[in-house]
Amino acid sequence: WWDEEDLLGPQLLYRTLEDADTQHRNFLVMGPWSHGSWLRPGGDSLGPVRFGSKSANFFRARIQRPWFAWYLHGKGDGRFPEAQIFESGSNEWRALDTWPPKNTIPRRLYLRENGRLAFDRPRAAASSSVVGRLKASDAMHTDAFDAFVSDPAHPVPYIPRPDDGNGWNTWLVQDQRFVDNRPDVLTWTSDPLAEDLTVAGEVVAHLFASTTGTDAD
């Protein structure tokens, strides 16, 4: 789930192969790992996040070993769940017969005015205009759009500087709020959740953007 090099690739690969999987040989496993850490001992934590069990050991012994035993040696029954997914938070493995899982409820989150993030749809945007040019210090939220000035010469970092070289494989689980005070970063914040929320399945973002320059961060 926290592959710092290619989180989306395995999911796209599964989806693409699934469309032509007439012999039911296409399966998906998603674990709580950085890139390749499923093959290293342990897997009970990633950076500051604790998982309550040695997830990498579990994967190799309970998922990978039976797979190779069947396909290389014909041992076992060859029956595997369509998807075996580690659910963080509850810190449990889920064996599912479909992916995305059945009985999920589609929810939409909206980027709202004044830096709000909400499940309720925004009202129709009123006509709005900005007089003059945005300055480098401007990052603004309006009813109609949000805007900031991007400077490619000073890109937004994904880990705090300076870095000792150990931040690369855990940056996806690190606190990203160190960039919130930059003039080229916009942040949207929801109200506190009133109940537990489990996110499962395919997460899709629809972003509508325009730029006055030839490139942007």
Side-chain angles (χ1 to χ4, degrees), residues 58-124:
F58 177 91
F59 166 73
R60 293 193 302 274
R62 302 287 294 275
I63 298 177
Q64 190 180 50
R65 185 184 179 110
W67 172 273
F68 284 125
W70 171 254
Y71 281 103
L72 295 182
H73 304 289
K75 296 181 179 179
D77 57 16
R79 299 174 62 186
F80 304 101
E82 181 68 20
Q84 297 186 74
I85 307 296
F86 187 89
E87 182 183 278
S88 57
S90 65
N91 292 337
E92 296 180 357
W93 284 95
R94 305 294 189 192
L96 305 169
D97 56 7
T98 63
W99 186 260
K102 296 177 180 177
N103 303 320
T104 56
I105 301 173
R107 299 290 301 273
R108 293 187 177 187
L109 272 171
Y110 297 93
L111 305 182
R112 296 291 304 271
E113 66 280 357
N114 301 317
R116 292 180 57 237
L117 183 70
F119 287 106
D120 52 308
R121 182 187 297 270
R123 63 182 184 275

